[in-house]
Amino acid sequence: MQPSDLKNLNIAVVGAGYGGAAAAKALSLLGATVDVYEQASQIREVGAGIGLRPSTMDRFRQWGIFDAIARVSSPSDYFEILTATGDPIAKEAWPEIDTFGEKTHLIHRGDFIEALLGVLPKGMVHLGHKLESVEDEGDKATLVFANGESVTADLVVGADGIKSVVRAQLFGDNQPVFSGEHAYRAVISVDDAHGMAVDDNLRMYIGQGTKVYFLPLRHRGQVSFDITALCPDNTWTPGVTKDDLLKTVEGFDERIVNITRGLDMATVNCRAVYDIDPVGTWHSDSVVLVGDAAHSMLHHQGQGANSAILDAGALADALKEAGSVREALARYQAIRKPVTDELQRISRQGWTEDEINDVFPGQKPASQQPASQQPTVQKPASQQPASQQPTVQKPTAQQPASQPQEA
């Protein structure tokens, strides 16, 4: 679109999370008028740490906000995957470094959203706007909020998460799907990590259906400690006791058990893990989905936040390059949907120590590798009784290690 057309474009973004804030920044740089509508009265991101990939950091550099993110994050050189008792399975440099010239940065979710919102112009974000309905009028769309206000825009960006109202009303009622897992997350002091946080690199310990993530937040003097474990309770925010957590790490390195034993349960964020089935269409002529609203995925590959940022960048690029909003939205979906469809698929796979090479992004799935490089896939540990769980097989020279991105 021509610069003059972009400057006359009025855009309404629904949701001020990662995807909404990133989209607002990217689209405002085109010269468009952008307003963000958030249902919460204040924005507070709970949880723990995540990893921002080099491709994501490259977008931040393009948008002129790299330093704002770098100030509250720590660059990481590699990741390591170990058995429950600490035997090494894989250790490898993060991918994309050579492509983008950036490192993966580890950051607390709260610091991340605060930094993103902090680079938006004052007055762009409107709190206390819970979306009730969206009416697609072809070349424009109208939003109606619970507070009685309504807004009409040339383009509506639905960034309203896994329970997206925009998606449900216009693109299909894809209900959240329970994964059969819980995630228990806490941020602890480095001093309480029993010597397990020694640098700026992610470590994952896996065994018997449980995954324990250590993600250092050196700029905070803290560590993000995440236990993901099997549980049939699909309550969104389940009640969990200290004994429940200790049962999930039975047989793990004694230091992990001790960290778990020392957790203050009042500081532990407990949630059931959900995603959605792939959405067939992300856009109309004047409404489009980004982030979790379009492709909420399980957190095992750490792609949620990264995908939302890359969506925002691709949408802005498409508007700049296409001849019309309609053409831009089609181009955006054509570029991003195949990528996120595959990430959703991979993120749903159960996996054991033997399957790591097949299920982490950065490596092709086994089905796309030459036959000589295809690992033997066994039934996931999460679906086997303990007595039948396979022993650990170390990666071979023909099987490059996995490449996770964020806990």
Side-chain angles (χ1 to χ4, degrees):
M1 297 175 65
Q2 296 297 315
S4 57
D5 295 328
L6 292 170
K7 288 181 179 179
N8 289 327
L9 199 62
N10 182 26
I11 301 175
V13 179
V14 182
Y18 305 139
K25 182 62 180 179
L27 297 173
S28 65
L29 289 173
L30 299 177
T33 299
V34 181
D35 286 279
V36 182
Y37 299 93
E38 166 60 39
Q39 67 175 350
S41 57
Q42 61 178 8
I43 299 174
R44 176 177 173 268
E45 182 65 32
V46 298
I50 56 176
L52 302 176
R53 286 287 302 273
S55 53
T56 300
M57 297 303 295
D58 183 62
R59 279 295 185 183
F60 294 150
R61 192 175 291 283
Q62 292 175 30
W63 300 340
I65 64 174
F66 181 94
D67 290 344
I69 304 299
R71 278 195 295 270
V72 291
S73 63
S74 299
S76 178
D77 294 312
Y78 65 85
F79 62 90
E80 190 170 9
I81 302 175
L82 308 100
T83 67
T85 54
D87 293 326
I89 298 172
K91 179 179 179 180
E92 197 164 297
W94 291 99
E96 300 186 339
I97 293 176
D98 292 339
T99 302
F100 294 97
E102 310 288 357
K103 290 185 176 182
T104 289
H105 279 62
L106 308 182
I107 191 169
H108 187 279
R109 294 169 184 267
D111 293 341
F112 183 34
I113 192 62
E114 185 176 317
L116 278 178
L117 294 174
V119 298
L120 299 181
K122 186 177 181 180
M124 180 179 283
V125 179
H126 309 276
L127 302 178
H129 283 69
K130 181 179 181 180
L131 182 65
E132 285 197 337
S133 66
V134 52
E135 183 179 353
D136 188 340
E137 303 169 24
D139 61 348
K140 61 184 181 298
T142 297
L143 303 172
V144 177
F145 300 99
N147 61 9
E149 293 186 31
S150 64
V151 171
T152 298
D154 302 310
L155 173 61
V156 166
V157 179
D160 48 341
I162 189 171
K163 297 180 181 180
S164 171
V165 174
V166 177
R167 182 185 71 239
Q169 293 193 4
L170 297 181
F171 304 112
D173 191 16
N174 291 53
Q175 290 294 311
V177 178
F178 180 50
S179 68
E181 291 182 312
H182 284 182
Y184 312 119
R185 290 172 169 161
V187 176
I188 62 175
S189 167
V190 169
D191 295 337
D192 293 331
H194 290 260
M196 299 192 76
V198 295
D199 51 31
D200 295 320
N201 301 301
L202 172 68
R203 287 178 176 83
M204 297 169 46
Y205 296 78
I206 60 178
Q208 300 189 30
T210 294
K211 311 167 188 71
V212 178
Y213 303 79
F214 280 87
L215 189 146
L217 300 167
R218 180 170 53 85
H219 51 287
R220 279 172 158 248
Q222 295 176 324
V223 179
S224 177
F225 180 67
D226 181 317
I227 300 171
T228 300
L230 298 171
C231 187
D233 179 9
N234 66 356
T235 306
W236 278 91
T237 54
V240 178
T241 68
K242 178 72 67 65
D243 286 343
D244 292 331
L245 263 62
L246 287 170
K247 288 176 182 177
T248 69
V249 295
E250 286 181 356
F252 274 70
D253 186 305
E254 190 61 27
R255 294 172 296 175
I256 293 175
V257 176
N258 288 333
I259 291 171
T260 305
R261 185 176 291 115
L263 290 175
D264 176 358
M265 292 302 295
T267 67
V268 179
N269 176 256
C270 304
R271 66 177 181 87
V273 181
Y274 282 82
D275 67 357
I276 59 172
D277 293 329
V279 179
T281 301
W282 291 1
H283 71 92
S284 64
D285 289 350
S286 59
V287 183
V288 66
L289 302 175
V290 300
D292 281 354
H295 47 66
S296 180
M297 60 190 71
L298 301 185
H299 68 282
H300 303 316
Q301 315 311 318
Q303 286 280 25
N306 287 287
S307 294
I309 304 305
L310 297 181
D311 285 353
L315 177 58
D317 289 348
L319 284 167
K320 187 175 181 179
E321 296 163 2
S324 65
V325 171
R326 179 181 182 179
E327 180 187 336
L329 301 188
R331 179 179 298 191
Y332 157 73
Q333 176 175 311
I335 291 170
R336 291 296 299 156
K337 183 169 164 52
V339 176
T340 59
D341 280 354
E342 178 66 359
L343 287 172
Q344 284 183 293
R345 184 192 70 80
I346 294 174
S347 296
R348 276 187 171 179
Q349 292 186 27
W351 50 276
T352 69
E353 293 91 336
D354 303 308
E355 297 174 306
I356 289 175
N357 295 321
D358 185 30
V359 300
F360 279 102
Q363 301 291 341
K364 290 183 178 179
S367 61
Q368 298 177 21
Q369 293 178 1
S372 63
Q373 295 184 18
Q374 291 186 13
T376 300
V377 177
Q378 302 185 23
K379 188 176 181 180
S382 61
Q383 300 175 17
Q384 297 181 7
S387 62
Q388 297 180 19
Q389 288 174 10
T391 56
V392 176
Q393 296 178 356
K394 305 299 189 294
T396 67
Q398 290 184 326
Q399 297 176 347
S402 58
Q403 297 180 339
Q405 293 156 22
E406 74 189 59

